[in-house]
Amino acid sequence: MTLALSIDRKRLDAELQKLATISDCPEPPPAVTRIVFTPTDLRGRTYLESLYREAGLEVRVDPIGNTFARWVGSEPHLPAIGTGSHTDAIPHAGLYDGTVGVLGGLEAIRALQRSGFQPRRSIELVMFTSEEPTRFGIGCSGSRAMAGAIDSTHLAGLLDDQGETYDNIRKRAGFMGELKDIRLHQDYYHAWVELHIEQGPELERENIDIGIVKAIAAPASLVFTLQGEGGHAGAVLMPVRRDTLCAAAEMISLIEAIAKQSPSPDLVATVGTIQVYPGAVNSIPSRTLFTLDIRDIDATNRDRLIREIFEQSKSIADRRRIELTIATKNSDPPAIAGQFVMDAIADACLQSGYRSKVMISRAYHDSLFMARLAPISMIFIPCRGGFSHRPDEYSSPEQIAKGVDILARTLAKLAG
């Protein structure tokens, strides 16, 4: 099937820029802050819904704000083709992460409409609630709930920094209904494909237009809490100290060493936060807490190294007379793409004459959880320097248009 597609780059860029102005960031765009369930998030949703309705799409919103915009196909009883991403943004982020998949998905549908294409299967654009873990400490709450990857009671009880529950906050934001009703049935989607900036340097470095994602690495997130004994920095001699920060430092160095020795080259481990109590220059740290994010597309390797980290950290704690607890916040399985979805993307690249490569996603996305419902893949486009989650995150209108073109052709192939 050869489609004569025209991507409206100017309109899409204007919509991306407009959404970026709906932000809590004190700086103007491209710095963006848009936290889930805040008034700013709600204003962004209202703007997006106006665009969906303008495109003639049927809109529905589930009990936590996952928003579905459907172009109804000629055989609406068939499982749909899904696409989409998220629009929440961590503090001081950029304007392309997630939003390219939502507004780009919308432009892909509009381009298909302008071409005269008529889908057999419905095509549904999804804006997921809370892909970022900023407010509740766990990412992808919307897609987790849709895929049944989180218990509704657990979801309802998640707390933000103010100690308020997810359930109360979503209701205050106007999202009502039973959480158990969010989960989609297994034949809801025939296939899923998400357009996203790469968030890495490979495509730009190799001058490649499109990445075809074959697997998504999944993180395990852990919290290490060390309890020792405080005291005056000048009065407690070194041989008798139970300094939790020194113990944590040794554990963190251990984690780095274990990760570097991984037989899987795709494993990465990051200690991203550390809290020290009481946090005074002249006081021995009596309690230290740090977090670990460890991910791989090989779940067996990841989990084996986690066990090794557990064992060796416990040895460090015992030797230093420190009480250690390790809590697992989440441990998600990686996702492997569906071959026919990857093939559809590859065919689209051949049609358009764009260079492509098969690659993995080391960042994780809502597609990780959509893989529990249907075969998936992702379309990556280059981003300057591989930068993401910062104000200088950037993909050019030309690069975005290429991604939207490939998404549109892929959706057409899958929708029949």
Side-chain angles (χ1 to χ4, degrees):
M1 172 175 38
T2 301
L3 289 170
L5 289 181
S6 173
I7 307 303
D8 192 338
R9 290 188 295 182
K10 182 179 287 188
R11 178 179 184 178
L12 177 54
D13 185 60
E15 289 169 348
L16 287 164
Q17 299 294 334
K18 168 67 175 177
L19 183 58
T21 66
I22 305 173
S23 168
D24 284 325
C25 210
E27 298 91 358
V32 177
T33 300
R34 197 163 42 243
I35 309 301
V36 69
F37 298 142
T38 61
T40 302
D41 176 45
L42 299 181
R43 288 200 306 274
R45 292 167 180 271
T46 298
Y47 171 62
L48 290 166
E49 286 188 35
S50 71
L51 298 178
Y52 302 153
R53 297 187 190 281
E54 185 181 322
L57 306 182
E58 293 185 357
V59 179
R60 74 175 180 91
V61 181
D62 78 7
I64 57 171
N66 290 315
T67 304
F68 305 78
R70 177 169 285 222
W71 183 16
V72 179
S74 61
E75 299 185 39
H77 62 282
L78 293 175
I81 306 302
T83 189
S85 196
H86 67 99
T87 59
D88 62 319
I90 68 170
H92 299 272
L95 63 88
Y96 300 98
D97 173 29
T99 59
V100 164
V102 176
L103 286 168
L106 175 60
E107 177 57 20
I109 290 172
R110 292 188 303 219
L112 289 172
Q113 291 172 334
R114 291 192 296 267
S115 77
F117 174 78
Q118 295 294 324
R120 186 168 69 96
R121 296 178 183 273
S122 298
I123 297 175
E124 189 163 74
L125 173 64
V126 181
M127 191 218 74
F128 293 102
T129 283
S130 193
E131 192 265 359
E132 303 291 2
T134 310
R135 187 161 192 177
F136 297 103
I138 185 170
C140 299
S141 67
S143 54
R144 284 178 193 272
M146 285 165 61
I150 186 170
D151 177 77
S152 58
T153 302
H154 182 196
L155 177 64
L158 292 175
L159 300 176
D160 71 359
D161 288 342
Q162 307 304 312
E164 289 201 74
T165 67
Y166 192 106
D167 204 38
N168 286 340
I169 293 168
R170 62 106 183 180
K171 288 176 179 175
R172 194 161 62 241
F175 301 113
M176 302 298 177
E178 298 293 326
L179 295 182
K180 63 179 176 60
D181 295 334
I182 300 167
R183 185 170 183 176
L184 301 180
H185 51 80
Q186 282 298 125
D187 60 351
Y188 187 90
Y189 288 121
H190 175 67
W192 172 270
V193 58
E194 178 176 0
L195 173 65
H196 209 282
I197 61 172
E198 181 194 352
Q199 299 180 292
E202 290 184 38
L203 295 176
E204 182 184 57
R205 185 174 58 227
E206 299 175 32
N207 194 29
I208 291 174
D209 302 305
I210 299 292
I212 303 172
V213 173
K214 67 176 182 179
I216 305 172
S221 301
L222 304 108
V223 179
F224 290 63
T225 303
L226 294 77
Q227 185 67 50
E229 188 172 313
H232 193 286
V236 182
L237 296 178
M238 301 304 291
V240 297
R241 290 193 178 194
R242 298 171 60 209
D243 185 324
T244 59
L245 182 55
C246 288
E250 190 173 347
M251 292 176 194
I252 293 167
S253 294
L254 162 77
I255 289 167
E256 181 185 42
I258 289 174
K260 285 182 174 179
Q261 294 165 10
S262 165
S264 166
D266 297 312
L267 181 126
V268 289
T270 305
V271 174
T273 67
I274 187 164
Q275 299 172 18
V276 181
Y277 302 89
V281 67
N282 61 344
S283 181
I284 299 165
S286 61
R287 186 160 69 98
T288 297
L289 179 151
F290 68 88
T291 59
L292 170 63
D293 176 301
I294 181 167
R295 60 183 75 192
D296 197 348
I297 61 168
D298 182 343
T300 301
N301 180 67
R302 181 197 67 185
D303 294 345
R304 182 181 63 79
L305 294 191
I306 288 173
R307 290 192 295 272
E308 185 176 344
I309 289 168
F310 276 24
E311 292 167 4
Q312 295 200 36
S313 295
K314 184 67 167 59
S315 295
I316 292 169
D318 290 345
R319 173 165 44 82
R320 289 180 171 271
R321 296 177 296 119
I322 299 293
E323 297 174 17
L324 171 67
T325 59
I326 304 174
T328 301
K329 294 192 71 173
N330 64 280
S331 182
D332 301 309
I336 306 301
Q339 189 61 52
F340 78 91
V341 187
M342 294 177 61
D343 290 345
I345 299 170
D347 287 347
C349 290
L350 285 174
Q351 286 179 27
S352 295
Y354 296 149
R355 296 184 66 207
S356 67
K357 69 172 288 186
V358 174
M359 60 195 306
I360 71 165
S361 174
R362 291 179 175 83
Y364 86 133
H365 305 275
D366 290 301
S367 291
L368 180 79
F369 297 98
M370 298 311 290
R372 302 189 183 199
L373 293 171
I376 64 102
S377 184
M378 297 184 69
I379 298 168
F380 277 176
I381 58 171
C383 55
R384 186 171 59 197
F387 303 146
S388 182
H389 282 198
R390 45 192 265 188
D392 57 351
E393 168 185 281
Y394 180 76
S395 284
S396 71
E398 293 75 20
Q399 290 168 326
I400 295 169
K402 288 180 180 179
V404 173
D405 176 90
I406 297 306
L407 176 61
R409 294 178 189 279
T410 301
L411 293 174
K413 174 81 169 178
L414 296 172

